[in-house]
């Protein structure tokens, strides 16, 4: 898919929101339309805006680069964050729609006792009311764990649900039913649902996973609020992918690669740490 619909505000000359180190990211406001909308929407409802985690993690997983927004611990209450992330498995995939070297996750976290249904409701309401996505075009991919949420929420029911076998989803760990990346330092895995939106014509026919003609724009955890487990429940959207789904422009792979390298170098210089091994996958 050619990224040619310009409404997505250009990232700053310094390289974009990903180049704002946590210490200088005091208001957690980003330089793009999508991130500002996300932060304004949820902060206006009382969510606390968190500084993003550093891109350089100091651990071997994912080549020492931040894989996602998962934290070892969370503050009490509702929080939001715009998290710069990178996955070394995406190196060299410049021709794949929506795949970037550096991307940003717009994250919403609620106390686990709020329930995953509430997280689903709030995130989908944002996607439909603020980002103007058509709920009838949305496809959810998950397992039997998602069925009670889908069957009880009128907004979700406007979309379609592709059901995966629970054991298959657990084995894959790809977030479409269960999220469990091998070796992730901050999670042992959890039930989840992935959210997809069409980017090509002909996506109205019969569906099967993996989906063809759709872009995965987000994932939401499906924690059991009745379990009494401490922590949070929530999820997020890939900001650049949400922009594409909404008809705006996002950076292309080459731009995101340059920003990834700049951010890593800036963080390494600021902290005195070495550049992570994972950057070699994105080198010339």
């Amino acid at each position: 898919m050619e990224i040619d619909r310009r409404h997505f505000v250009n990232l700053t000359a310094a390289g974009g929101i990903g180049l704002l180190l946590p210490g200088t990211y005091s208001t957690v406001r980003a330089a793009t339309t999508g991130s500002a909308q996300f932060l304004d929407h949820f902060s206006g409802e009382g969510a606390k805006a968190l500084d993003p985690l550093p891109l350089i993690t100091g651990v071997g997983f994912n080549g020492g680069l931040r894989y996602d927004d998962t934290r070892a611990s969370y503050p009490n209450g509702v929080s939001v964050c715009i998290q710069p992330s990178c996955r070394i498995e995406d190196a060299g995939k410049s021709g794949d729609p929506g795949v970037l070297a550096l991307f940003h996750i717009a994250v919403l976290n609620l106390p686990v006792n709020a329930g995953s249904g509430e997280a689903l409701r709030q995130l989908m309401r944002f996607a439909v009311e603020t980002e103007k996505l058509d709920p009838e075009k949305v496809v959810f991919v998950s397992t039997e764990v998602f069925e009670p949420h889908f069957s009880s929420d009128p907004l979700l029911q406007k979309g379609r649900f592709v059901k995966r076998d629970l054991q298959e989803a657990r084995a894959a760990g790809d977030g479409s039913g269960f999220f469990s990346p091998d070796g992730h330092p901050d999670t042992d895995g959890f039930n989840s649902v992935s959210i997809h939106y069409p980017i090509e014509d002909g996506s109205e026919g019969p569906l099967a996973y993996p989906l063809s003609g759709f872009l995965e724009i987000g994932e939401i955890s499906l924690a059991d609020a009745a379990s009494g487990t401490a922590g949070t429940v929530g999820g997020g959207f890939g900001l650049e992918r949400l922009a594409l789904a909404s008809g705006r422009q996002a950076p292309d792979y080459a731009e995101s690669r340059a920003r990834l390298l700049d951010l890593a170098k800036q963080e390494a210089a600021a902290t005195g740490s070495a550049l992570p091994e994972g950057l070699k996958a994105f080198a010339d």
Side-chain angles (χ1 to χ4, degrees):
M1 175 180 176
E2 185 177 355
I3 303 174
D4 60 1
R5 293 175 289 182
R6 181 168 297 276
H7 179 64
F8 195 77
V9 178
N10 287 331
L11 299 181
T12 63
I17 60 178
L19 295 183
L20 297 176
L21 296 175
T24 64
Y25 203 43
S26 59
T27 62
V28 200
R29 289 192 55 83
T32 69
T33 298
S35 53
Q37 287 177 340
F38 187 88
L39 293 170
D40 287 346
H41 177 89
F42 289 106
S43 296
E45 296 186 355
K48 178 182 179 181
L50 304 179
D51 285 349
L53 297 166
L55 176 69
I56 300 175
T57 64
V59 298
F61 174 70
N62 196 43
L65 294 162
R66 183 69 52 189
Y67 186 83
D68 62 4
D69 55 280
T70 308
R71 296 172 181 248
S73 62
Y74 294 84
N76 294 327
V78 182
S79 62
V80 289
C81 181
I82 305 296
Q83 179 62 54
S85 302
C86 169
R87 297 181 180 178
I88 58 173
E89 64 207 49
D90 291 337
K93 296 183 179 179
S94 59
D96 293 2
V99 174
L100 300 174
L102 179 73
F103 60 95
H104 299 82
I105 306 173
V107 189
L108 171 69
N109 287 297
L110 287 74
V112 71
N113 59 11
S116 50
E118 179 63 16
L120 276 162
R121 185 190 69 81
Q122 291 198 30
L123 285 166
M124 282 303 299
R125 183 165 58 87
F126 170 79
V128 172
E129 295 180 2
T130 302
E131 289 290 341
K132 307 303 181 185
L133 298 192
D134 183 347
E136 295 185 357
K137 293 183 178 179
V138 174
V139 175
F140 304 96
V141 180
S142 188
T143 67
E144 61 196 52
V145 179
F146 178 65
E147 286 185 301
H149 300 290
F150 186 74
S151 62
S152 62
D153 190 313
L155 179 58
L156 302 186
Q157 286 181 320
K158 291 182 178 181
R160 290 184 286 176
F161 170 30
V162 174
K163 183 179 176 180
R164 295 183 76 184
D165 175 77
L166 180 57
Q167 295 308 312
E168 173 193 313
R170 282 181 170 272
D174 59 9
S176 291
F178 199 82
F179 180 82
S180 182
D182 187 28
H184 197 302
D186 295 318
T187 181
D188 294 327
F190 50 83
N191 294 311
S192 62
V193 56
S194 56
I195 304 171
H196 305 253
Y197 204 75
I199 56 170
E200 296 177 5
D201 294 335
S203 57
E204 297 82 7
L207 298 175
Y209 187 79
L211 300 177
S212 177
F214 286 81
L215 190 66
E216 182 178 334
I217 60 173
E219 293 179 7
I220 301 173
S221 64
L222 299 175
D224 182 3
S227 67
T229 303
T232 62
V233 60
F237 294 110
L239 269 185
E240 291 86 355
R241 293 190 178 196
L242 189 60
L244 294 177
S246 301
R248 301 195 303 272
Q249 184 181 0
D252 62 20
Y253 187 91
E255 291 174 302
S256 71
R257 176 185 169 278
R259 289 165 183 161
L260 169 68
L261 298 176
D262 285 346
L263 173 55
K265 291 176 183 177
Q266 184 181 4
E267 280 195 12
T271 61
S273 59
L275 289 172
E277 285 293 311
L279 280 185
K280 293 179 180 178
F282 298 93
D284 290 331

